[in-house]
Amino acid sequence: MTAVGTDLADRGATGVVPVRRLTVLYDADCALCTHVRNWLVKQRQLVPLDLVPAGHARARALFPGLDHSATLREITVIGDGGQIYRGAAAWVVCMWALREYRATSHRMATPMGLRFAKHAVLGAAKYRELQQQRQDGWTYDPQRGWFHAPPACDSGCRTAD
């Protein structure tokens, strides 16, 4: 884990610093990310979660040393002691912060559980990718599968026969 703009000495700690608050950077333009954000807000939290849109001015101000373009590609959670969690570890630490899911997070932190979490993250990434493709002219047809349909030309242009 890496410290981001936080001096550990400010807590009087010489080693491990307890996590008292987490900031979750999520993609506000992603339907799945926004759904998960809304779900997290409704859960009982043992550790408070601050949900901030990734790449947003607030995120940049809070964490000036962070690669903000990377936070738009992969969920990133930052602890108040400067801890950084990405991908599967970020999902596990979010679960750890929730009252109803803390025990599940401990199981997910095992080697086998982390493997499962990584598959879940890959599935979510694939879903996001498909949603982005949809916005870029991709369409799903149960008969043909995914195909690209270029936007229609309404200016009277013709295609070559």
Side-chain angles (χ1 to χ4, degrees):
M1 291 181 269
T2 318
V4 176
T6 302
D7 183 5
L8 299 182
D10 71 337
R11 299 242 184 106
T14 56
V16 178
V17 177
V19 176
R20 295 188 186 122
R21 182 170 220 86
L22 293 166
T23 301
V24 180
L25 301 179
Y26 70 97
D27 184 350
D29 293 329
C30 167
L32 175 63
C33 299
T34 302
H35 175 78
V36 170
R37 178 238 178 255
N38 294 339
W39 179 80
L40 285 170
V41 168
K42 294 175 188 174
Q43 303 304 306
R44 291 193 294 182
Q45 300 172 1
L46 294 172
V47 176
L49 298 175
D50 296 324
L51 294 118
V52 177
H56 188 269
R58 181 171 172 229
R60 292 178 189 283
L62 287 169
F63 310 106
L66 195 61
D67 178 358
H68 290 277
S69 61
T71 66
L72 286 166
R73 291 187 303 273
E74 183 174 44
I75 182 174
T76 304
V77 178
I78 302 160
D80 60 338
Q83 308 89 338
I84 299 176
Y85 308 91
R86 290 189 173 93
W91 289 109
V92 172
V93 80
C94 282
M95 290 171 44
W96 173 82
L98 304 177
R99 184 169 196 261
E100 302 300 321
Y101 295 92
R102 179 152 291 179
T104 302
S105 76
H106 289 290
R107 288 191 298 277
M108 297 300 282
T110 65
M112 185 60 89
L114 210 51
R115 188 176 311 153
F116 174 78
K118 285 178 185 177
H119 285 291
V121 169
L122 289 174
K126 186 64 175 174
Y127 174 84
R128 288 187 66 205
E129 180 183 322
L130 291 174
Q131 292 304 309
Q132 289 170 345
Q133 287 176 344
R134 259 191 190 162
Q135 295 168 2
D136 294 337
W138 285 87
T139 306
Y140 181 77
D141 180 307
Q143 303 282 326
R144 300 183 341 185
W146 285 98
F147 67 94
H148 187 263
C153 178
D154 57 355
S155 64
C157 60
R158 296 178 183 220
T159 58
D161 293 332

